[in-house]
């Protein structure tokens, strides 16, 4: 059992008023209360970007890592103590500028960590340069004549790489985002959740209103169990952009397939007894 | 001097490396001390490979250059190594396969039909090395039974047929010498010592040291020269209750280790210079959030890809200064298998005690050289996890002040997952509770806190060991794997009896034994620095720490390790 007050810290959010991060923050806290998790029941692993400031505003075991590196830190933590749920909170620069490699490998490992991507198409902390998720033609300080490249597609990369839970939500729709977070946090395996996050200061194209005009919920008739179809769906980016759960699959996790971790987490395993070590030395005689 | 050197050469892919290990084990079991070196280019198949073993009934720390027995699996081996042959050397070659020029005349060229003998028991090309092992046993005077025992356990997993095949092939070689070249077969000598010995590479010693120290998590991306560590960890992980993870790159590797360390387990990574370049940012993360990790850094010549399979000591300052900002980077630099084993366990204690990244700085020579050594004593390894808060201490308040200011700068660590005492680690500058804070006062106090740990560590650096006479005419100072060749070199001077030379081994780089080194150097008559780099990096560090400038240096930076002869020759220039 937990309530909102449990996740309070002495620090107040320093995000710009109206930032999409507030919606993600609120949804995450709602999800934690919904699941009955206490601040000591899980670990949050942050990257660097506006999202990373959440380390100061959400009470939990946490580690704010380096830009691009929350995934491997989370993987190491999980392998050492897989009984404590591990949630990565990362930005789009974090994930697709510096850390794409880590995402691809975490997904194909089906390592049992959950990942929430703050996707605002822009670098806020460095005051407004293009992010890898920015749409073609988007004008920023680093692309005054418009972005030349096509954007990366977070969902398509996650699905192609083998993530077993792939979803997209919108920071301006807290009830639906909370539902997705709850499903993602309950999933066993690598869960990837892309969150549209309006940046009110540096992205004047993809505003709250823009998202409201363009997104639609995947219908109830959509069954997220077909990887090929989910991939196809993830490519949909026309006047209308789908949000919801695109794909989920039950598959053995990395730890499920690591025999030495079958009974207890690594941290609880005793050191090898001296006799076992001495026997190992004998093999070198 | 009572030693001999055996060398085998041929194309990569013909089991030359395994032959070396087998012979080393046979020699060690017969009571000899051995040093085995391999040399190979960065190729899987077809390059010229050699393994050489110097062995002696007396203590032995390094290899000597003259080759007494050369086993040539191809013609090139003789062409490449002819000049290394010592007086009266024996060359084994297969005269039925190729013609050779039989020089120098002082050498004895024995043609042994290696291929025919292998085929006679049902073997093929790839079993010539096994026949050659049998030949070598006869020539070196080793009991055949010792070899057959080793082969039997080596091939046990492959079944009885393969085992029998290999033992018979070796037997053919052994018997051939007695039937055809009896005069070259040695009499069996009773070994001088009967203490059981391990035959272990420096890399394996590092791995075994880590296991003995209670390492639980290891991440390493394959890279010469540390592959033997990850091969070992991967194969024993289930049995030992540890996790080895091959990461997608070295960046992931060090960050995984930091994550595992944050969870509370002892964690290690291993790499070489290029891989460590990718780990540099992670090193600073560990420094900032005060997370203990052990980084095994196996040097090889750079820059860039450099000489991937050769050796050098050119990354001392790289490691000492890696990453932005000021924080302690502790470094130990073992010089042989025993030091590699014990200092790796020390590195874990340093990392945990001072909560900072700690390096085991080794090189290709140490990593891949095989040493015979008394069996490591796991009971001699002490485990000190440093300041870890008890569950009660951690749970005193709702939030645990992970970075609380203390006298020595070291704050108790908590363990995530405990029901009370939540805390955070933060790569941004942070206050005692881990919250981001950029005030001038907090910044100054946090930097002082982290550097107080350096001052605390400085107090515990043990005095360096001086090998040889205390008041020698000449003092040689070195670090890491240079130790072996230096010890042999001073032994030679002692036997010649002209001047006395001693050797100072620096295996604590940071904390550095400043007071002891100042005192030792202050009392020396003449000091010579020996190291495997161009700039004399340790001499620079000594000067920085003590103000003492070492002018005489013996430096080697050709990718090859120091041989005793190199140091002897170098010393002669100065004395």
């Amino acid at each position: 059992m937990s309530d909102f007050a449990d996740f309070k810290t002495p620090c107040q959010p320093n995000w710009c008023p109206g930032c999409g991060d507030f919606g993600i923050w609120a949804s995450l806290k709602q999800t934690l209360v919904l699941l009955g998790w206490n601040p000591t029941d899980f670990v949050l692993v942050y990257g660097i970007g506006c999202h990373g400031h959440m380390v100061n505003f959400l009470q939990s075991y946490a580690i704010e890592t380096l830009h691009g590196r929350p995934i491997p830190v989370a993987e190491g933590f999980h392998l050492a103590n897989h009984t404590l749920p591990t949630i990565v909170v990362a930005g789009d620069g974090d994930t697709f500028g510096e850390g794409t490699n880590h995402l691809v490998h975490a997904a194909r490992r089906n390592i049992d960590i959950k990942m929430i991507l703050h996707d605002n198409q822009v670098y806020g902390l460095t005051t407004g340069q293009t992010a890898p998720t920015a749409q073609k033609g988007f004008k920023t300080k680093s692309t005054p004549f418009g972005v030349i490249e096509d954007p990366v597609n977070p969902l398509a990369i996650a699905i192609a790489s083998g993530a077993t839970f792939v979803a997209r939500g919108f920071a301006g729709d807290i009830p639906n985002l909370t539902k997705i977070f709850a499903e993602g946090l309950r999933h066993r395996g690598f869960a990837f959740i892309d969150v549209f996050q309006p940046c009110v200061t540096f992205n004047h194209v993809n505003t709250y209103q823009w998202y409201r005009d363009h997104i639609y919920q995947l219908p109830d008739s959509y069954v997220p169990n077909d990887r090929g179809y989910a991939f196809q769906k993830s490519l949909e980016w026309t006047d209308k952009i789908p949000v919801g759960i695109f794909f989920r699959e039950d598959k053995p996790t990395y730890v499920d397939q690591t025999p030495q971790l079958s009974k207890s987490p690594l941290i609880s395993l005793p050191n090898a007894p001296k006799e076992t070590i001495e026997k190992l030395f004998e093999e070198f005689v | 001097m009572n030693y001999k050197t055996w060398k085998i050469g041929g194309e990569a892919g013909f089991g030359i490396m395994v032959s070396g290990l087998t012979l080393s084990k046979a020699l060690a079991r017969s009571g000899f001390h051995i040093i085995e070196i391999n040399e190979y280019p960065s190729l899987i198949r077809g390059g010229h490979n050699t393994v050489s073993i110097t062995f002696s009934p007396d203590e032995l720390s390094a290899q000597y250059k003259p080759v007494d027995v050369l086993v040539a699996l191809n013609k090139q081996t003789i062409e490449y190594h002819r000049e290394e042959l010592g007086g009266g050397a024996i060359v084994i070659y297969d005269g039925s396969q190729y013609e050779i020029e039989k020089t120098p005349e002082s050498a004895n060229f024995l043609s042994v039909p290696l291929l025919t003998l292998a085929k006679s028991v049902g073997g093929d090309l790839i079993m010539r090395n096994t026949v050659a092992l049998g030949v070598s046993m006869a020539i070196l005077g080793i009991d055949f039974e010792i070899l057959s025992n080793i082969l039997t356990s080596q091939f046990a997993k492959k079944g009885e047929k393969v085992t029998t095949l290999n033992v018979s092939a070796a037997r053919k070689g052994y018997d051939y010498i007695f039937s055809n070249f009896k005069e070259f077969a040695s009499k069996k000598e009773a070994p001088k010592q009967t203490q059981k010995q391990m035959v272990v590479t420096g890399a394996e010693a590092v791995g075994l040291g880590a296991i003995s120290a209670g390492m639980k998590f290891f991440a390493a991306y394959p890279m010469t020269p540390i592959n033997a560590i990850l091969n070992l960890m991967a194969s024993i992980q289930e049995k030992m209750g540890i996790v080895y993870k091959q990461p997608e790159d070295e960046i992931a590797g060090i960050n995984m280790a930091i994550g595992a360390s944050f969870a509370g387990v002892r964690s290690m990574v291993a790499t070489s210079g290029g891989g460590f370049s990718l780990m540099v940012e992670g090193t600073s993360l560990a420094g900032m959030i005060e997370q203990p990790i052990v980084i095994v850094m196996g040097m090889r010549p750079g820059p860039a890809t450099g000489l991937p399979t050769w050796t050098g000591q050119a990354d001392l300052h790289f490691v000492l200064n890696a990453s932005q900002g000021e924080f302690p980077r502790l470094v130990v630099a073992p010089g042989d298998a025993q030091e590699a084993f014990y200092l790796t366990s020390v590195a874990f204690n340093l990392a945990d005690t001072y909560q900072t990244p700690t390096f085991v700085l080794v090189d290709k020579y140490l990593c891949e050289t095989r040493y015979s050594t008394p069996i490591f004593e796991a009971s001699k390894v002490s485990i000190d996890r440093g300041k870890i808060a008890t569950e009660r201490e951690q749970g005193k308040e709702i939030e645990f002040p992970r970075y609380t200011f203390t006298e020595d700068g070291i704050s108790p660590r908590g363990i995530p997952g405990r029901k009370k005492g939540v805390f955070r680690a933060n790569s941004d500058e942070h206050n005692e509770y881990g919250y981001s804070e950029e005030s001038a006062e907090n910044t100054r106090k946090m930097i002082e806190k982290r550097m107080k740990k350096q001052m605390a560590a400085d107090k515990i650096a043990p005095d360096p060991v001086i090998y040889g006479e205390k008041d020698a005419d000449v003092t040689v100072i070195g670090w890491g794997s240079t130790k072996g060749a230096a010890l042999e070199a001073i032994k030679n001077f002692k036997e010649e009896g002209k001047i006395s030379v001693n050797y100072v081994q620096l295996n604590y780089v940071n904390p550095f034994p400043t007071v002891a080194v100042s005192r030792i150097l202050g009392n020396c008559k003449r000091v010579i620095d020996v190291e495997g780099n161009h700039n004399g990096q340790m001499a620079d560090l000594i000067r920085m720490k003590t103000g003492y400038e070492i002018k005489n240096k013996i430096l080697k930076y050709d990718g090859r390790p120091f041989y005793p002869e190199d140091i002897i020759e170098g010393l002669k220039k100065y004395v």
Side-chain angles (χ1 to χ4, degrees):
Chain A
M1 278 290 287
S2 60
D3 59 47
F4 281 100
D6 293 330
F7 298 102
K8 255 184 91 110
T9 73
C11 306
Q12 287 302 311
N14 59 356
W15 293 312
C16 305
C19 175
D21 282 344
F22 282 102
I24 300 174
W25 181 54
S27 287
L28 183 56
K29 283 191 291 183
Q30 280 200 5
T31 309
L32 295 167
V33 171
L34 189 76
L35 297 177
W37 290 5
N38 285 297
T40 52
D41 290 342
F42 62 99
V43 63
L44 273 166
V45 185
Y46 300 94
I48 295 293
C50 292
H51 74 274
H53 293 315
M54 208 195 289
V55 72
N56 300 309
F57 327 136
L58 199 152
Q59 191 61 279
S60 79
Y61 284 120
I63 175 165
E64 188 208 55
T65 66
L66 299 174
H67 189 56
R69 313 302 170 209
I71 295 174
V73 172
E75 288 175 299
F77 186 93
H78 173 75
L79 290 172
N81 185 358
H82 65 262
T83 54
L84 208 63
T86 304
I87 308 165
V88 170
V89 173
D92 46 14
D94 236 4
T95 306
F96 294 106
E98 299 236 353
T100 318
N101 197 24
H102 307 313
L103 171 66
V104 169
H105 291 278
R108 80 181 174 92
R109 286 175 188 133
N110 195 30
I111 195 153
D112 187 17
I113 61 179
K114 333 293 167 193
M115 174 158 182
I116 296 170
L117 178 79
H118 292 229
D119 182 356
N120 63 359
Q121 292 119 306
V122 75
Y123 283 39
L125 211 53
T126 49
T127 69
Q129 294 82 13
T130 186
T133 43
Q135 297 302 298
K136 193 173 170 78
F138 185 53
K139 287 185 181 167
T140 68
K141 281 185 187 160
S142 61
T143 55
F145 310 109
V147 175
I148 294 170
E149 299 112 313
D150 283 331
V152 301
N153 183 327
L155 297 190
I157 290 177
I159 295 167
S161 305
T164 51
F165 181 97
V166 181
R168 181 195 280 146
F170 170 43
D173 179 359
I174 292 173
N176 277 316
L177 189 59
T178 304
K179 275 186 206 159
I180 290 175
F181 281 175
E183 290 297 306
L185 262 52
R186 283 195 192 108
H187 176 73
R188 279 191 89 250
F190 185 71
F192 179 82
I193 303 164
D194 179 26
V195 184
F196 285 148
Q197 174 225 334
C199 173
V200 293
T201 307
F202 297 109
N203 188 339
H204 301 299
V205 177
N206 309 104
T207 60
Y208 283 95
Q209 194 53 50
W210 186 91
Y211 284 116
R212 286 194 182 106
D213 293 343
H214 287 82
I215 61 171
Y216 76 95
Q217 294 291 330
L218 285 169
D220 288 346
S221 57
Y222 179 88
V223 186
N225 63 356
D226 183 332
R227 195 162 167 220
Y229 188 60
F231 185 81
Q232 204 183 322
K233 203 74 192 157
S234 75
L235 301 180
E236 198 177 303
W237 191 286
T238 53
D239 251 7
K240 288 290 175 189
I241 303 162
V243 296
I245 297 167
F246 283 64
F247 182 62
R248 72 200 310 172
E249 182 187 15
D250 275 330
K251 226 169 108 176
T253 66
Y254 190 89
V255 165
D256 288 343
Q257 299 167 85
T258 307
Q260 61 271 40
L261 300 180
S262 63
K263 291 204 180 74
S264 63
L266 190 60
I267 185 150
S268 310
L269 288 180
N271 290 345
K274 212 169 53 186
E275 300 70 43
T276 313
I277 295 174
E278 280 164 356
K279 241 170 92 186
L280 178 64
F281 294 168
E282 284 291 328
E283 290 175 23
F284 290 87
V285 172
Chain B
M1 300 295 284
N2 193 1
Y3 57 78
K4 270 188 180 162
T5 298
W6 172 95
K7 188 169 206 162
I8 186 167
E11 271 177 55
F14 283 103
I16 285 167
M17 303 291 179
V18 181
S19 308
L21 171 61
T22 312
L23 184 61
S24 288
K25 279 194 170 181
L27 287 162
R29 287 190 194 181
S30 310
F32 290 102
H33 299 274
I34 69 105
I35 298 283
E36 177 194 324
I37 300 181
N38 60 42
E39 289 188 338
Y40 59 99
S42 193
L43 291 172
I44 303 296
R45 283 289 289 263
H48 181 66
N49 280 14
T50 69
V51 173
S52 39
I53 301 169
T54 296
F55 60 98
S56 169
D58 306 320
E59 286 288 335
L60 184 73
S61 322
Q63 223 170 57
Y64 286 87
K65 282 179 179 172
V67 174
D68 300 291
V69 178
L70 178 66
V71 178
L73 292 186
N74 59 10
K75 193 173 172 174
Q76 286 75 23
T77 300
I78 295 171
E79 287 165 2
Y80 292 159
H81 303 289
R82 196 188 298 282
E83 282 172 14
E84 297 164 20
L85 296 171
I90 296 171
V91 179
I92 308 297
Y93 72 108
D94 193 339
S96 67
Q97 299 297 307
Y98 48 85
E99 293 281 308
I100 55 158
E101 184 196 322
K102 292 181 183 170
T103 58
E105 276 169 23
S106 65
N108 305 287
F109 291 84
L110 316 189
S111 174
V112 179
L114 299 172
L115 184 59
T116 314
L117 291 172
K119 282 183 173 165
S120 74
V121 294
D124 55 12
L125 201 65
I126 200 155
M127 277 180 65
R128 288 175 305 159
N129 62 332
T130 315
V131 180
L133 275 174
V135 169
S136 302
M137 292 293 121
I139 285 171
L140 303 178
I142 312 288
D143 230 332
F144 183 78
E145 213 188 319
I146 290 177
L147 175 64
S148 74
N149 285 343
I150 295 169
L151 290 174
T152 305
S153 60
Q154 237 168 40
F155 290 103
K157 275 186 197 150
K158 293 190 175 169
E160 210 183 310
K161 207 178 144 196
V162 180
T163 307
T164 314
L165 189 66
N166 276 279
V167 173
S168 336
R171 184 85 223 184
K172 282 280 174 193
Y174 187 79
D175 291 345
Y176 192 89
I177 294 300
F178 282 97
S179 313
N180 298 279
F181 300 110
K182 203 165 188 320
E183 65 275 29
F184 292 104
S186 287
K187 275 194 208 125
K188 280 168 215 160
E189 272 180 63
K192 274 195 183 167
Q193 63 102 35
T194 49
Q195 194 190 4
K196 224 191 214 179
Q197 300 186 93
M198 292 170 86
V199 172
V200 69
T201 65
E204 289 162 346
V206 166
L208 296 174
I211 291 287
S212 306
M215 183 211 70
K216 293 259 129 201
F217 182 81
F218 179 57
Y221 188 85
M223 187 170 194
T224 306
I226 53 77
N227 295 326
I229 308 177
L230 73 89
N231 295 346
L232 174 70
M233 295 303 183
S235 67
I236 63 174
Q237 56 179 327
E238 210 179 316
K239 196 163 60 183
M240 292 291 154
I242 62 163
V243 166
Y244 162 63
K245 182 75 203 86
Q246 179 172 331
E248 53 271 28
D249 54 34
E250 286 86 350
I251 299 173
I254 192 165
N255 281 291
M256 284 176 178
I258 291 169
S261 168
F262 183 66
V265 303
R266 282 193 152 179
S267 306
M268 182 167 95
V269 294
T271 187
S272 186
F276 181 62
S277 296
L278 297 186
M279 291 188 179
V280 168
E281 62 163 27
T283 304
S284 78
L285 176 60
M288 183 53 142
I289 65 173
E290 305 191 43
Q291 215 55 62
I293 49 164
V294 170
I295 302 166
V296 181
M297 166 56 188
M299 294 177 285
R300 65 190 212 192
T305 311
L307 274 66
T309 59
W310 300 84
T311 200
Q313 294 184 303
D315 297 331
L316 180 70
H317 287 303
F318 177 29
V319 159
L320 280 171
N321 299 287
S323 304
Q324 69 274 30
E326 293 169 304
F327 63 92
R329 299 130 170 110
L330 305 183
V331 184
V332 293
D336 55 28
Q338 283 283 332
E339 287 190 11
F341 175 79
Y342 290 106
L343 283 177
T344 300
S345 72
V346 166
F348 278 97
N349 289 343
L350 290 174
D352 270 348
T353 302
Y354 301 103
Q355 300 180 6
T356 205
T358 300
F359 293 85
V360 179
L361 186 58
V362 289
D363 55 34
K364 189 271 173 188
Y365 175 77
L366 177 66
C367 280
E368 296 198 348
T369 292
R370 246 186 212 108
Y371 299 81
S372 57
T373 186
I375 296 184
F376 300 144
E377 291 178 63
S379 54
K380 275 197 184 162
V381 170
S382 62
I383 296 178
D384 180 358
R385 295 299 313 267
K387 289 189 196 171
I388 294 187
T390 62
E391 194 148 3
R392 235 184 98 192
E393 287 162 352
Q394 187 179 334
K396 256 193 260 170
E397 302 170 51
I398 290 177
E399 285 193 61
F400 173 65
R402 164 67 183 98
Y403 299 102
T404 195
F405 294 118
T406 61
E407 192 83 6
D408 57 7
I410 307 164
S411 326
R413 289 200 280 148
I415 304 288
R418 285 175 175 169
K419 286 297 160 207
K420 280 181 179 167
V422 70
F423 67 93
R424 60 195 27 72
N426 192 336
S427 73
D428 276 307
E429 189 57 277
H430 43 259
N431 63 22
E432 290 176 278
Y433 284 87
Y435 290 108
S436 305
E437 188 179 330
E438 298 189 344
S439 74
E441 194 198 352
N442 182 68
T443 305
R444 183 174 47 74
K445 279 168 83 175
M446 275 297 165
I447 288 173
E448 284 168 1
K449 162 182 159 41
R450 291 188 289 267
M451 290 316 291
K452 271 184 191 169
K453 299 190 296 181
Q454 176 68 59
M455 289 189 271
D458 284 340
K459 291 180 194 146
I460 61 96
D463 291 1
V465 176
I466 305 171
Y467 295 87
E469 285 169 44
K470 215 177 146 222
D471 290 315
D473 302 317
V474 175
T475 294
V476 174
I477 193 158
W479 60 284
S481 74
T482 305
K483 178 187 180 188
L487 292 188
E488 290 299 321
I490 65 170
K491 214 157 58 177
N492 277 271
F493 275 92
K494 194 174 179 189
E495 281 181 14
E496 282 182 19
K498 286 177 199 151
I499 54 154
S500 59
V501 182
N502 62 14
Y503 175 69
V504 178
Q505 165 75 349
L506 293 171
N507 52 21
Y508 276 72
V509 178
N510 186 27
F512 188 83
T514 306
V515 175
V517 171
S518 297
R519 190 187 60 231
I520 292 165
L521 293 180
N523 293 334
C524 281
K525 293 174 192 152
R526 185 158 222 179
V527 184
I528 295 167
D529 169 63
V530 180
E531 49 185 317
N533 57 58
H534 176 274
N535 292 353
Q537 297 189 13
M538 180 55 86
D540 283 348
L541 181 68
I542 291 170
R543 192 175 181 192
M544 193 177 122
K545 291 284 184 186
T546 67
Y548 188 101
E549 185 182 3
I550 302 175
K551 292 209 173 86
N552 300 330
K553 293 174 192 144
I554 302 172
L555 302 172
K556 194 170 181 185
Y557 40 88
D558 58 2
R560 275 65 184 169
F562 276 106
Y563 283 82
E565 291 95 331
D566 300 325
I567 297 177
I568 293 164
E569 205 180 303
L571 281 173
K572 280 180 180 161
K573 259 188 244 163
Y574 292 116
V575 299

